Amino acid sequence: NEDAAASHMPADEYDRALLQRYALSAAYFATGGEGWTVCSRKVESECESDGARWLSPSSHCAWDGINCKGGKLSWFDLSDHGLVSESYLPLEMTLLSPTLELLWTSDNPKLGGALPAWIGEFQSLLSLGAYNTSLSGLVPDSLYTMTKLNSLRLYKSEFEGSISPEIGNLKELKWLWIHDNHFEDILPDEIGQLTKLEGITLHGNDFASAVSESSQDEGEDESKDFKNASEQLVDIIPSPVCDLLHRGLKHLWTDCEKDSLVPNLKKKFDEKQPDFVVKAGK
């Protein structure tokens, strides 16, 4: 077409760039871009250069938080930009799904809404970061189809509900950071299938509450969730997860009685102890 010819770009590259700029522009306006604290198109916001400002005439690959590989957008990181929204990001973001590998909107406390079902369209995504936000609701089932994910960081937000057994599909996952939310029920055994896991953070959720109710039904003292902290930790963390210690698991943060650690979680005396951090329960 004439526009592509004028830009000295092959038509397919021009069309792709146009769609990418459209999707980014939609994200800008849907998250209050005019009021961003970093690299808004308004000069009042701090920015490394005018070319890095969003909606500038520069290549969108040069906009702050955006990286491209061969003209294809691969990196979207608007962490700590002052995003404001009641519905996460707009549907137009799915135009970036074929090539996007990193999607981070973390450290934006006024970013609300829920993770939408369309998040599952990002089948090339390696890292999803939505921590320290006001995002809430359930983790959509479609997220568990994103089999290339190696990092899932949803901590310090308002997520709730259970972790689905479908999490066992995420075989590439190395980092599962979900602390300080409202997740509940017992972790599924299927987490033990994630043999590449190196770190899990669980503290500050309601995993123990569902277990404590069942223990009370059995007539145990209400002042105790379990007979001792070891029993509590065993019930909250399934044994298949404990077995990951013999693979690559190096970091486990969870709630339980201070300084307690289930004996069968410990490695042999002559092996390096994993980084277990136990925080006092609620």
Side-chain angles (χ1 to χ4, degrees):
N1 58 47
E2 293 182 3
D3 290 337
S7 68
H8 305 290
M9 294 174 64
D12 60 336
E13 290 184 21
Y14 179 84
D15 291 343
R16 181 174 63 237
L18 191 62
L19 285 175
Q20 291 177 352
R21 289 179 76 94
Y22 168 67
L24 294 177
S25 298
Y28 177 87
F29 288 110
T31 59
E34 300 290 80
W36 286 0
T37 56
V38 180
C39 288
S40 164
R41 68 173 173 175
K42 296 197 170 184
V43 295
E44 292 84 358
S45 63
E46 63 179 63
C47 199
E48 226 175 68
S49 67
D50 287 341
R53 290 191 179 281
W54 276 58
L55 307 190
S56 73
S58 302
S59 167
H60 60 281
C61 295
W63 294 355
D64 183 66
I66 301 300
N67 281 334
C68 298
K69 294 180 181 179
K72 299 177 181 179
L73 202 147
S74 61
W75 188 299
F76 181 103
D77 182 3
L78 291 184
S79 299
D80 197 20
H81 274 57
L83 275 59
V84 178
S85 173
E86 295 182 358
S87 55
Y88 186 49
L89 296 172
L91 178 63
E92 288 85 349
M93 283 290 295
T94 56
L95 293 171
L96 309 177
S97 63
T99 59
L100 200 66
E101 297 177 353
L102 181 143
L103 175 55
W104 278 30
T105 55
S106 305
D107 288 323
N108 289 295
K110 293 184 179 180
L111 181 66
L115 281 179
W118 54 251
I119 198 71
E121 294 190 27
F122 289 81
Q123 291 294 310
S124 296
L125 206 65
L126 304 178
S127 181
L128 176 62
Y131 57 84
N132 194 22
T133 67
S134 293
L135 289 171
S136 59
L138 306 178
V139 173
D141 290 341
S142 60
L143 185 145
Y144 301 113
T145 70
M146 299 163 64
T147 55
K148 291 185 178 180
L149 269 183
N150 61 43
S151 174
L152 179 59
R153 308 181 188 219
L154 305 179
Y155 59 90
K156 292 186 178 180
S157 296
E158 303 294 331
F159 293 104
E160 59 188 44
S162 304
I163 301 299
S164 169
E166 297 300 311
I167 197 171
N169 296 331
L170 307 183
K171 305 295 187 185
E172 299 299 316
L173 205 60
K174 291 183 177 180
W175 301 98
L176 177 60
W177 292 7
I178 57 174
H179 60 276
D180 291 334
N181 278 287
H182 305 290
F183 291 117
E184 58 186 7
D185 294 334
I186 304 214
L187 291 170
D189 287 352
E190 285 76 6
I191 290 183
Q193 299 173 13
L194 308 180
T195 57
K196 294 185 179 181
L197 268 180
E198 296 183 12
I200 312 174
T201 63
L202 306 172
H203 56 280
N205 282 291
D206 299 318
F207 290 122
S209 62
V211 180
S212 63
E213 289 171 8
S214 65
S215 65
Q216 289 172 19
D217 289 342
E218 295 171 4
E220 295 186 15
D221 188 339
E222 291 188 6
S223 66
K224 297 180 180 180
D225 285 339
F226 297 91
K227 293 179 181 178
N228 54 56
S230 292
E231 290 183 8
Q232 181 181 6
L233 191 55
V234 167
D235 283 337
I236 295 173
I237 303 178
S239 57
V241 178
C242 301
D243 293 341
L244 292 176
L245 291 177
H246 303 294
R247 295 180 180 271
L249 188 62
K250 300 172 183 174
H251 310 277
L252 171 62
W253 289 49
T254 188
D255 287 322
C256 61
E257 294 300 321
K258 186 177 180 182
D259 298 327
S260 67
L261 187 63
V262 178
N264 68 358
L265 285 180
K266 295 181 179 179
K267 291 192 173 184
K268 295 179 181 179
F269 180 77
D270 57 347
E271 292 184 84
K272 184 178 179 180
Q273 181 67 42
D275 171 30
F276 282 99
V277 180
V278 290
K279 293 180 171 281
K282 293 182 178 181

